[in-house]
Amino acid sequence: MADPAARDPALQNAAEQDLAVQDRAAKDAVARVWAARANARGALDLAYLLYLVVITILVIAVPLLRELGLLLARPDVLPVISAPAAGGLVTAGLLLAAGLLVLLGASRGPAVLPPFFVVTLASSHRPRRTALVRPFARTGAALAIGLLALAGVIGWVLVLGGATSPAGAVALGIAGLGTTALLEGAWLAGQVLPGGGRRVLALVLGLAGAGAVLGTVRGGAPVRHLLALAYPVGGAGAGVPWVAALAVLVLGLLVAILCVPALDRVRGTVLFEQATRWESALTSARSGDLAAAAGTYRVRPSAGRRLPAVRAGARSAGLIGLYLRRDLVALVRTPERLVLGVLGVLAASILLVAARVLTGPLGFAALVLGALLLWSASGVFVDGLRHGVESLGAPRLLAQGVGAQVLLHSLAPLLVIGLLSVLGSGLGALVLPDPGPGAGTVGALAVVLAPALVPLMIIGRARDAAKGPMPLALATPIPTPQGDASILPLVAWQADAILFALLAAGLLFLALGASWAWGIGLWAVAGALLASDARRRVQELSRGGR
């Protein structure tokens, strides 16, 4: 027998209204429970936070961006960012960034709630979008602020240099808003799609970025103008790309509209896993353990399960072959992480070549970014090295001691990263323009820089793995007229490995520019100092583990 409420519109409307009232009451109850927690922010706290954000933007961010634009409006910067190929390269970079965001969505998507809200709201019968739209909007706002700041600086520099008009800078900002929505849509796609679909989409975006680079480098003026989209090229008299800017904005709005119903397709297991990992990472970061926070997002093996890491009876290869095979098989078992590491090393090598070719702020930025990227990408290949250090204090299962394990585990990353750095430096030397007089010597120095840094980075990774717990003496208050300065030694202790990587890259860059003898001597001294400090840390951990 049919339900009378299904035929009577009045009864059906009353049932819907009753369900809406129950939903609102349940949501209010959840909000009250969440607001009653110990560290909850009240209305005054939120108002003060909003006040701080507005004041920071007006007093610090805007003047800082203006001064940055004035600093970059130099004769050695303007020809680079106003070159005909600049717009196409920016488009290629955004496509590659979209592919990386797709892969990032598997670990941390744009719509992440605290675990409490995942259990109470996102897992209820209500549409999932009602709970996820707010964190999704917050992520989009943060992304938009970053892209608009970048577009504002570039537009301001181009206007100061006479490469475009103020209207062209406004068009670039409009395109930046549309690009924000497109990038967040790619990020959400990585959170929604399963593994196969996510990898295919990332591959398509990566190939599109590579095609944009090829079209920009090898194509003619019409191809470069098409790939530039809303990037102002051709000077102030070339016209304002309103059509391209509005097209990007409209496309971004369409993607943003489609993202709202797509929030309902985020799987509950994905939501809960990402929520717990994010909360665990935040807890570790707030306690000062950044290594544990980064380790929270270490990718689990997902492929190559049938590949034997240790082959029975393969004694002829010796210890070197045994450790090489084991570390290389471990790399293959995390394919997405391996791809990111490979691309990171290649990009870092190209940036380090560009640091020798470019001058002024762009050369300095290329050197810093290249060193940071090479250090970050090297972390993908040194899991075995970390395992060797972490085996301190554990029952000795192998015939090799900790020192021997560290040395043997360093062979695979040295081989892989070394080959990739040579390949990336060669690509950079082919793609980047001729540095001018003395091109042979400068080109050789540019190609050598990244491979020379690889052994130093691996020794630095071993030194960082043997870091041990933070000394409690660093938490001692340091009163100054400006307040407690104890945060400075804490930050220095946390970032000492990155600071040493930057220092080694800068000194080696300068030494190679002076002479080959200075470069080789500094490289040997830096390697010896890092290795000695790594050995000292391992010995200290060994004494503490007894």
Side-chain angles (χ1 to χ4, degrees):
M1 186 182 231
D3 187 1
R7 298 190 213 170
D8 192 347
L11 293 176
Q12 190 172 5
N13 291 336
E16 292 177 355
Q17 291 177 1
D18 184 56
L19 183 61
V21 170
Q22 293 178 5
D23 286 344
R24 196 177 301 111
K27 188 176 180 180
D28 292 341
V30 170
R32 285 194 298 271
V33 172
W34 180 252
R37 71 192 193 280
N39 56 346
R41 290 194 184 101
L44 291 178
D45 296 328
L46 294 176
Y48 181 67
L49 181 62
L50 180 62
Y51 165 77
L52 286 180
V53 170
V54 174
I55 290 297
T56 302
I57 292 175
L58 295 179
V59 177
I60 298 178
V62 173
L64 182 63
L65 293 177
R66 180 179 178 276
E67 293 300 323
L68 182 60
L70 294 174
L71 175 66
L72 294 178
R74 297 161 42 113
D76 53 358
V77 176
L78 282 171
V80 177
I81 64 175
S82 61
L89 294 179
V90 169
T91 302
L94 290 174
L95 287 171
L96 294 176
L100 293 177
L101 285 174
V102 170
L103 295 178
L104 178 63
S107 301
R108 207 282 184 188
V112 174
L113 288 167
F116 175 78
F117 284 133
V118 172
V119 174
T120 55
L121 294 181
S123 301
S124 65
H125 66 279
R126 303 169 67 245
R128 193 155 284 170
R129 73 184 76 171
T130 59
L132 297 180
V133 69
R134 291 182 65 183
F136 182 76
R138 284 196 298 266
T139 304
L143 196 60
I145 291 173
L147 280 180
L148 284 178
L150 181 61
V153 170
I154 294 176
W156 177 236
V157 173
L158 292 175
V159 170
L160 290 176
T164 188
S165 61
V170 173
L172 184 62
I174 292 174
L177 283 176
T179 304
T180 299
L182 294 175
L183 290 178
E184 194 174 18
W187 196 359
L188 180 63
Q191 190 177 13
V192 172
L193 292 174
R198 183 172 56 249
R199 296 188 185 102
V200 170
L201 180 57
L203 179 62
V204 169
L205 290 171
L207 292 177
V213 172
L214 186 62
T216 301
V217 174
R218 299 295 182 184
V223 177
R224 291 178 176 178
H225 186 74
L226 179 63
L227 291 173
L229 295 178
Y231 194 92
V233 293
V240 180
W242 291 116
V243 176
L246 293 176
V248 173
L249 180 61
V250 171
L251 184 60
L253 290 176
L254 291 176
V255 170
I257 293 172
L258 293 176
C259 284
V260 176
L263 292 172
D264 293 334
R265 300 184 58 187
V266 182
R267 297 184 299 277
T269 54
V270 172
L271 267 180
F272 188 74
E273 180 185 4
Q274 292 190 1
T276 52
R277 293 175 79 178
W278 179 246
E279 187 176 50
S280 177
L282 285 179
T283 302
S284 299
R286 287 174 185 143
S287 64
D289 194 353
L290 298 183
T296 305
Y297 282 95
R298 191 164 296 166
V299 180
R300 299 183 181 91
S302 60
R305 295 284 188 173
R306 297 184 180 180
L307 290 175
V310 180
R311 179 174 292 177
R315 297 182 179 179
S316 59
L319 281 177
I320 294 178
L322 179 68
Y323 275 79
L324 275 175
R325 178 183 178 85
R326 187 167 66 177
D327 290 340
L328 292 177
V329 169
L331 289 176
V332 175
R333 288 180 174 175
T334 53
E336 294 181 358
R337 184 169 178 248
L338 176 61
V339 169
L340 292 178
V342 169
L343 294 178
V345 174
L346 293 176
S349 303
I350 295 174
L351 284 172
L352 291 173
V353 173
R356 179 61 64 181
V357 175
L358 300 173
T359 58
L362 291 181
F364 177 76
L367 178 64
V368 172
L369 291 177
L372 288 176
L373 193 55
L374 185 60
W375 170 261
S376 301
S378 65
V380 175
F381 304 92
V382 295
D383 284 343
L385 194 148
R386 293 194 194 97
H387 170 73
V389 175
E390 290 171 358
S391 63
L392 279 169
R396 187 166 177 173
L397 302 178
L398 303 174
Q400 299 82 42
V402 174
Q405 288 188 53
V406 170
L407 288 176
L408 292 169
H409 277 301
S410 64
L411 297 177
L414 183 63
L415 175 65
V416 176
I417 304 176
L419 292 176
L420 290 174
S421 64
V422 172
L423 177 60
S425 299
L427 289 175
L430 291 175
V431 173
L432 294 172
D434 192 348
T441 304
V442 175
L445 293 175
V447 172
V448 163
L449 181 57
L453 282 174
V454 171
L456 301 181
M457 295 290 178
I458 294 175
I459 298 174
R461 282 290 180 180
R463 174 182 172 275
D464 188 54
K467 194 172 187 176
M470 183 184 70
L472 294 178
L474 293 179
T476 304
I478 305 177
T480 65
Q482 288 75 28
D484 187 8
S486 61
I487 187 64
L488 297 179
L490 290 176
V491 172
W493 187 86
Q494 291 285 357
D496 69 329
I498 298 176
L499 294 177
F500 274 112
L502 292 175
L503 182 63
L507 292 178
L508 190 59
F509 177 84
L510 296 175
L512 286 173
S515 68
W516 285 100
W518 275 100
I520 295 173
L522 180 66
W523 178 81
V525 170
L529 290 176
L530 287 173
S532 176
D533 196 35
R535 184 171 179 271
R536 178 188 61 80
R537 287 185 171 186
V538 170
Q539 290 176 346
E540 288 181 355
L541 288 179
S542 300
R543 288 194 295 268
R546 291 196 185 108

